[in-house]
Amino acid sequence: MNPMEEANIWFAEAHDEGVALTFKITNHLFSKKSAHQRIDIFETLSYGKMLVLDGRVQLTEKDEFIYHEMLVHIPMLHHPAPRRVLIIGGGDGGAAKEAVKHDVESVTVVEIDEDVVRAAKEYLPFTASAYDDPRVHLHIGDGVQFIEQSDEKYDVVLVDSTDPIGPAEMLFAGEFYGKLKRVLNPGAVVAIQAGSPWYSGDVTAKSYRLLRESFRDVRIYLAPIPTYPAGMWSFIMASDAEMGEPRPITFSTRYITDDVMRGAFALPRFLLEALEG
Ligand code: AG3
């Protein structure tokens, strides 16, 4: 047994005052207080490598595919022919890794924290390998500033952010969704991660309402992510075009199927009620 494993060290993320998810740690690979947040990378006994920002689990080696496939492929397949993709956040490369499975011309990742990218390249090759693809371009900077200043236009914009506390706060504001329009091609589809509908249904509902103020067709969908709070996660997809049926999946996946894609839009009563309230 390695000495760290024997030492019985655990990492816990509290999901509310009375509940936490706890991982047995076999190695603390990286730790840094960057200009934007605290970054930790752990080797866990059960979930492989794990990226934690400000104490919140962002991804694990074992289940990242569920989150990234659902964030990326659902909007991409609701666009008739996405060629240019913008990812706001997602410095670990996980969303870019899925986006390049499509016939895209370019995938631009705008990450505010260069240290996240550096750490991912060193310790998380299963997501950061995306940066080896010549179609993937990295821009270090603030996502809001980028959309205010960019002259480029995109077919799909994905917001792969942390929770709406800390550096990502601005990405959940109404103004941001309005400004996004500047960088959208006609018929573009936008998708955001919209938090835990169980613990923060208010955040999910608020994002939904704000997106409805800016876009014509707005849809919420869910996915089970074992290592996120409550395991149930929400995403919102929005477009000014009426999004029709998704195109079928024609590339290799580990989670999403055509049926999963259809089923993901079925919402539980408590969330529908939060949306009305
Ligand atoms: N971004 C969403 C992570 C949210 C997790 N929240 C939490 N654990 N409290 C994931 C980024 C992966 N590319």
Side-chain angles (χ1 to χ4, degrees):
M1 221 197 250
N2 101 22
M4 274 285 273
E5 193 176 331
E6 222 166 340
N8 201 29
I9 295 168
W10 295 72
F11 164 85
E13 177 182 349
H15 293 170
D16 69 19
E17 317 77 67
V19 172
L21 182 61
T22 314
F23 298 82
K24 183 159 186 172
I25 302 306
T26 54
N27 219 335
H28 196 172
L29 298 167
F30 180 85
S31 187
K32 178 170 182 174
K33 198 159 171 14
S34 77
H36 301 280
Q37 56 206 335
R38 183 188 173 84
I39 307 169
D40 287 286
I41 299 181
F42 298 102
E43 178 76 47
T44 68
L45 186 66
S46 307
Y47 277 87
K49 300 206 171 47
M50 175 165 83
L51 172 66
V52 177
L53 299 178
D54 283 339
R56 298 186 181 91
V57 173
Q58 301 298 309
L59 63 80
T60 77
E61 187 168 3
K62 196 162 173 183
D63 72 348
E64 60 77 24
F65 69 97
I66 306 177
Y67 172 87
H68 290 124
E69 288 185 12
M70 293 298 276
L71 173 67
V72 175
H73 300 312
I74 291 201
M76 296 281 287
L77 292 166
H78 280 81
H79 186 287
R83 300 282 292 153
R84 295 174 48 79
V85 179
L86 174 64
I87 297 168
I88 309 232
D92 51 75
K97 158 193 70 122
E98 296 302 323
V100 295
K101 290 182 179 173
H102 297 253
D103 183 20
V104 291
E105 174 189 301
S106 72
V107 175
T108 304
V109 178
V110 179
E111 167 61 52
I112 197 166
D113 195 340
E114 187 165 24
D115 285 315
V116 168
V117 177
R118 282 211 201 101
K121 284 186 176 166
E122 179 150 5
Y123 298 105
L124 311 172
F126 51 89
T127 54
S129 61
Y131 293 112
D132 299 337
D133 189 303
R135 295 168 296 173
V136 176
H137 307 286
L138 173 66
H139 174 96
I140 298 296
D142 181 274
V144 178
Q145 251 171 41
F146 183 90
I147 60 155
E148 282 170 352
Q149 292 164 6
S150 169
D151 298 322
E152 306 284 323
K153 302 242 188 274
Y154 301 90
D155 303 312
V156 170
V157 178
L158 307 168
V159 182
D160 182 17
S161 68
T162 51
D163 294 7
I165 333 154
E169 200 176 330
M170 296 287 289
L171 302 177
F172 288 85
E175 291 155 51
F176 174 71
Y177 301 135
K179 285 178 191 160
L180 261 180
K181 299 255 175 147
R182 284 196 66 241
V183 300
L184 300 182
N185 274 328
V189 180
V190 172
I192 69 166
Q193 75 88 357
S196 161
W198 179 252
Y199 283 116
S200 50
D202 52 330
V203 173
T204 312
K206 185 170 167 228
S207 302
Y208 178 72
R209 277 196 289 271
L210 290 173
L211 281 161
R212 290 257 316 238
E213 286 171 14
S214 296
F215 292 91
R216 268 179 50 201
D217 190 355
V218 182
R219 307 186 197 175
I220 299 188
Y221 60 95
L222 303 177
I225 324 274
T227 58
Y228 284 0
M232 175 194 266
W233 212 250
S234 72
F235 303 83
I236 310 176
M237 172 173 90
S239 179
D240 274 334
E242 191 62 42
M243 292 175 284
E245 285 294 301
R247 291 179 290 113
I249 297 164
T250 51
F251 42 85
S252 91
T253 62
R254 285 171 68 209
Y255 183 74
I256 196 169
T257 64
D258 296 324
D259 279 342
V260 162
M261 185 152 47
R262 261 188 288 282
F265 292 90
L267 305 181
R269 179 85 54 215
F270 73 83
L271 180 55
L272 292 172
E273 281 168 7
L275 297 178
E276 283 161 18

